[in-house]
Amino acid sequence: MQNLDIRLKESSSISIASYAGILIAATITSLWLGSLIWCFTIDISNLQVFGLIPVILIRTFLHTGLFITAHDAMHGTISKNRQINEGIGTVVSALYALLPYQDLLANHRLHHRAPATNRDPDFYDQEPQSIAAWYFHFMKSYLSGKQSWILLIGMSIVFYSLLFGFQVPLANVLLFWLLPLLLSSWQLFYFGIYLPHREPSAGYTNRHRATSINCSSVWSFLSCYHFGYHWEHHEYPDVPWYGLAAVRKSLD
C-alpha cells in the first residue's frame, strides 16, 4: 500500500504539473458550449423521439462535466496554479447553474472532513435511506438563502434573453438547456452522493464512510465521470477524475 501511495502521489504531481487538466477542462467546456449553440438551431419538429433522446443525454453528460470540472478545481487538480484553478472553477460553476464557486468549495471541504455525518452538507441523516427526501435536501442545501434569489433572477434573465434576445425556440431552451440541468443534478446526486455514501446493511466499514460502484471503467466514465469510484476519490483526493480508473485498477 505504501508503494501504491508513492506511485499515486508521483502520478498526481505529474498530472497537476502538466497541462492535461487545463486541456480536459477546456475540451468539456467547449463541447458543452458548442453543443448548446448547435442544439438551439435544431428544428425539433423534424426529429423523432428516438432522435431527441440521445441529444438530451449527451447534453446532460456534458452539463455534468461542467460540475465535475468545478470539483477538480476544488481539489487543485486542473493546474498547479491556484488562480487558474479558481478561475476555471468559477467559470464552470456559473455555467452549470450560476453557482458560487467559493460556497461550493467551502461545502465540499466540509464533506471531505466529515463524510456521511450530520456535519456533512451533502448528507441527509434524518432519512438516509429515502432517496427522494435526500435529493430534495441536497438540492435545498445548495439553493437556500441569497443563492435562491441569484438563481431565480439570473436564470430568468438568461431564459428570457435566449427567447427574445436570441430568438431561440422555447422547446429548444427547455429540452437542451433546462432539462439537461435537472437531469445532471440527479446524475451527480445519485452516483456521487447517494450510492457511495448511503449506509450499507453491515454499516460503514471505512473512515470515509464511502463505497465504490463495482463496474467497468467504461460504465464508470459514462455514468458520472468515475464519480462512482468514490472511496478511491476520498482516499486519493489529489487524483483528478480521469485518473480514478487507474487508481481503481491498481487496487484490484
Side-chain angles (χ1 to χ4, degrees):
M1 181 64 73
Q2 184 177 3
N3 291 335
L4 175 61
D5 288 344
I6 294 173
R7 291 199 304 271
L8 289 171
K9 288 178 181 178
E10 291 176 348
S11 174
S12 178
S13 297
I14 293 171
S15 177
I16 294 172
S18 71
Y19 292 101
I22 297 175
L23 178 61
I24 291 173
T27 299
I28 291 173
T29 306
S30 298
L31 289 172
W32 176 85
L33 182 59
S35 65
L36 181 64
I37 294 172
W38 177 73
C39 284
F40 281 166
T41 66
I42 294 177
D43 183 357
I44 62 173
S45 63
N46 294 328
L47 291 178
Q48 300 293 329
V49 173
F50 292 110
L52 279 174
I53 291 176
V55 178
I56 293 171
L57 291 179
I58 291 172
R59 284 288 305 142
T60 300
F61 184 74
L62 292 173
H63 207 85
T64 298
L66 292 179
F67 193 91
I68 297 295
T69 301
H71 173 262
D72 266 13
M74 296 174 206
H75 287 279
T77 59
I78 292 179
S79 169
K80 60 182 179 180
N81 185 301
R82 181 178 177 181
Q83 291 182 326
I84 293 178
N85 265 292
E86 291 192 350
I88 293 175
T90 300
V91 170
V92 295
S93 297
L95 289 176
Y96 183 81
L98 301 180
L99 297 175
Y101 173 73
Q102 291 300 330
D103 289 351
L104 292 176
L105 177 59
N107 280 342
H108 196 62
R109 285 174 175 170
L110 290 174
H111 169 70
H112 273 268
R113 288 172 187 164
T117 68
N118 57 9
R119 291 175 292 163
D120 178 1
D122 293 339
F123 187 68
Y124 188 50
D125 58 344
Q126 296 182 29
E127 295 182 73
Q129 299 304 322
S130 172
I131 187 170
W134 192 345
Y135 173 72
F136 285 114
H137 168 79
F138 171 75
M139 294 297 293
K140 182 181 177 181
S141 66
Y142 285 93
L143 301 175
S144 60
K146 67 177 182 180
Q147 180 55 30
S148 61
W149 289 104
I150 293 173
L151 182 66
L152 177 62
I153 296 172
M155 295 289 273
S156 296
I157 292 173
V158 174
F159 181 78
Y160 288 109
S161 295
L162 291 172
L163 288 182
F164 302 113
F166 294 93
Q167 301 296 308
V168 179
L170 175 61
N172 294 55
V173 175
L174 295 176
L175 289 174
F176 303 128
W177 179 49
L178 288 179
L179 181 58
L181 170 57
L182 294 174
L183 293 176
S184 171
S185 70
W186 178 261
Q187 182 180 14
L188 287 163
F189 165 75
Y190 185 72
F191 291 103
I193 299 296
Y194 179 74
L195 287 184
H197 288 295
R198 63 177 177 173
E199 185 172 3
S201 57
Y204 294 108
T205 58
N206 59 72
R207 63 190 178 94
H208 302 304
R209 298 167 71 88
T211 58
S212 290
I213 301 173
N214 187 21
C215 63
S216 69
S217 58
V218 173
W219 171 247
S220 174
F221 168 66
L222 293 176
S223 63
C224 200
Y225 295 82
H226 301 308
F227 234 31
Y229 293 156
H230 213 74
W231 178 89
E232 289 80 2
H233 166 60
H234 276 263
E235 184 71 9
Y236 305 102
D238 292 334
V239 176
W241 70 263
Y242 49 87
L244 290 175
V247 173
R248 174 81 171 184
K249 185 176 181 179
S250 297
L251 294 170
D252 287 341

